[in-house]
Amino acid sequence: MSSKPDEDLPMRTAASRHLTREFLPAMGAYALVLVAVTFALRHLDTPVPRAVLALLPLLPIGFAARAMLRYVRRCDELQRRIELEGMGLAALLLCLGAFALGLLARANVLDVDGTVVLVWILPVYVLLYGACKSAAARRYR
């Protein structure tokens, strides 16, 4: 065990501070918009077209994606490599998993609801990205 408690923690860079300032409000807005849209679609007879309501959560997710892109551009070369390896490997694993799921559904091994699968693509990608980024970071220690 080290003598300093913060010695094992990674140093917060300016890029990570900018990410926190941009990403967290976007995700907070996403959570609020998602709850509001879900309520509106279930309970309100609104003149706003359902498609417009259903797509509203894309707006804050777009801001979160922009924050991530800006973060990667602000990173140093090593951190950028770690981020991009994490993103690439996560995308590859997601594609392979979706392809396998499609093959199993096509062979009538699984009964898959396509709308559920499509909604879960982004959350699964984010989880895979976190795991793959951690694995990539361990490689460069």
Side-chain angles (χ1 to χ4, degrees):
M1 183 145 186
S2 63
S3 58
K4 292 169 134 182
D6 293 335
E7 193 173 284
D8 295 330
L9 297 176
M11 191 171 78
R12 294 246 326 160
T13 62
S16 66
R17 287 190 299 274
H18 281 284
L19 176 64
T20 301
R21 264 198 312 267
E22 294 177 12
F23 188 78
L24 289 182
M27 293 312 293
Y30 166 72
L32 293 174
V33 169
L34 187 62
V35 168
V37 165
T38 301
F39 179 81
L41 288 173
R42 287 186 182 163
H43 301 292
L44 299 179
D45 186 23
T46 176
V48 178
R50 292 180 69 79
V52 172
L53 277 175
L55 294 175
L56 274 179
L58 282 177
L59 188 61
I61 287 295
F63 283 108
R66 186 182 110 202
M68 282 299 301
L69 180 61
R70 290 173 64 159
Y71 166 68
V72 170
R73 288 180 178 163
R74 288 181 180 124
C75 287
D76 63 28
E77 292 158 3
L78 177 60
Q79 188 61 41
R80 183 177 299 169
R81 183 177 185 133
I82 291 168
E83 297 292 338
L84 294 177
E85 281 186 23
M87 289 177 191
L89 185 55
L92 177 64
L93 292 174
L94 180 65
C95 288
L96 289 173
F99 185 63
L101 191 62
L103 291 173
L104 291 171
R106 185 76 176 145
N108 294 319
V109 173
L110 292 176
D111 185 25
V112 178
D113 180 0
T115 57
V116 172
V117 172
L118 289 172
V119 167
W120 277 97
I121 286 177
L122 182 61
V124 169
Y125 175 76
V126 170
L127 290 172
L128 286 171
Y129 160 68
C132 293
K133 176 183 167 180
S134 294
R138 276 194 302 277
R139 281 188 37 200
Y140 292 105
R141 276 194 199 159

